[in-house]
Amino acid sequence: MPQGRLFVVAGPSGAGKGTLISELLRRYPAVWLSISATTRKPRQGETDGVQYRFLSENEFGEMVAREDFLEWAEVHGNLYGTPAGGVLERLARGQDVILEIDVQGAKQVREKMPEAVSVFVLPPSSAALEERLRRRGTEDEAELQQRLRNALEECREKDEYQYVVVNDQLHRAADEFCAIYERESRLHE
Ligand code: 5GP
């Protein structure tokens, strides 16, 4: 059986990666979205094991020491990592896998698994990004400012990716994102 395809989706917080991925999963339910581990505190409505595995710094450190992560990084002051086991098992079974991670993690994955398809989701402007983050309302002002500063840095790396999707209008961007998936999974056959 051929290996599944690995899709790495990165881009600044608030660019809309999650929304594009949700639409892809709605259209292609067989694709598996990896659940990351993080030391960030759960937000209201988040459940352990659903959006993330919420770990203490010690637990996260143990996973790092055991080399359980495919990649990990410090993002906006918290640790985030992709547990390797689930990803590798699914790819081996022929299932396509998506990682929604930051640019540092994406770089590590591109180095380890050069066959991965990389997609950068770009907000249409910094004003639009700020508006989205404010509307989402999941950060306090200091965290929001940190995310905006980091966004500028992250966007400088977009040329390292095979595809860049500008998330200007949700439907258009979702169609483009899904077309990339369709093209890359067909190429793989
Ligand atoms: P949030 O705290 O808003 O859920 O996520 C913050 C940032 O961490 C986002 O850019 C998200 O893509 C990134 N992130 C989430 N999971 C992982 C992961 O497993 N590894 C890395 N490197 N970044 C992650």
Side-chain angles (χ1 to χ4, degrees):
M1 185 195 286
Q3 277 254 327
R5 204 75 159 121
L6 181 61
F7 291 81
V8 181
V9 182
S13 176
K17 301 184 292 271
T19 318
L20 296 183
I21 291 173
S22 301
E23 181 57 23
L24 182 87
L25 296 177
R26 197 182 64 76
R27 294 191 203 177
Y28 299 96
V31 178
W32 187 69
L33 174 63
S34 164
I35 299 175
S36 298
T38 184
T39 60
R40 167 167 80 58
K41 299 280 162 288
R43 294 177 187 139
Q44 206 172 4
E46 286 183 332
T47 309
D48 186 36
V50 179
Q51 291 83 9
Y52 285 103
R53 284 173 62 192
F54 293 99
L55 303 182
S56 67
E57 298 219 347
N58 272 347
E59 289 167 325
F60 196 98
E62 281 166 18
M63 288 186 70
V64 172
R66 285 199 303 264
E67 300 189 1
D68 282 350
F69 288 121
L70 184 60
E71 61 72 34
W72 67 273
E74 184 176 334
V75 190
H76 316 309
N78 293 299
L79 301 173
Y80 294 82
T82 304
V87 173
L88 300 179
E89 272 163 36
R90 283 171 175 87
L91 290 175
R93 271 193 252 141
Q95 193 171 4
D96 291 337
V97 172
I98 297 199
L99 309 182
E100 181 195 336
I101 60 180
D102 91 307
V103 292
Q104 306 166 76
K107 191 170 186 185
Q108 295 171 42
V109 176
R110 286 200 312 266
E111 281 164 9
K112 274 194 195 160
M113 303 177 80
E115 69 283 8
V117 178
S118 59
V119 183
F120 191 91
V121 180
L122 192 66
S125 66
S126 43
L129 183 70
E130 179 165 356
E131 195 202 310
R132 268 195 214 144
L133 280 174
R134 288 196 185 282
R135 203 164 354 116
R136 194 167 80 175
T138 44
E139 285 79 31
D140 66 26
E141 187 61 27
E143 285 165 350
L144 189 136
Q145 291 301 335
Q146 186 184 24
R147 282 175 186 243
L148 287 175
R149 277 193 304 274
N150 291 350
L152 287 176
E153 288 292 314
E154 288 166 319
C155 288
R156 289 206 185 101
E157 297 193 25
K158 67 179 191 318
D159 296 339
E160 309 289 322
Y161 291 73
Q162 279 160 281
Y163 296 96
V164 177
V165 175
V166 180
N167 194 6
D168 45 5
Q169 289 165 353
L170 180 59
H171 290 297
R172 194 210 59 76
D175 283 348
E176 186 182 344
F177 187 66
C178 291
I180 292 168
Y181 171 72
E182 286 155 21
R183 175 163 183 270
E184 289 290 347
S185 41
R186 253 204 316 272
L187 281 178
H188 181 55
E189 280 165 6

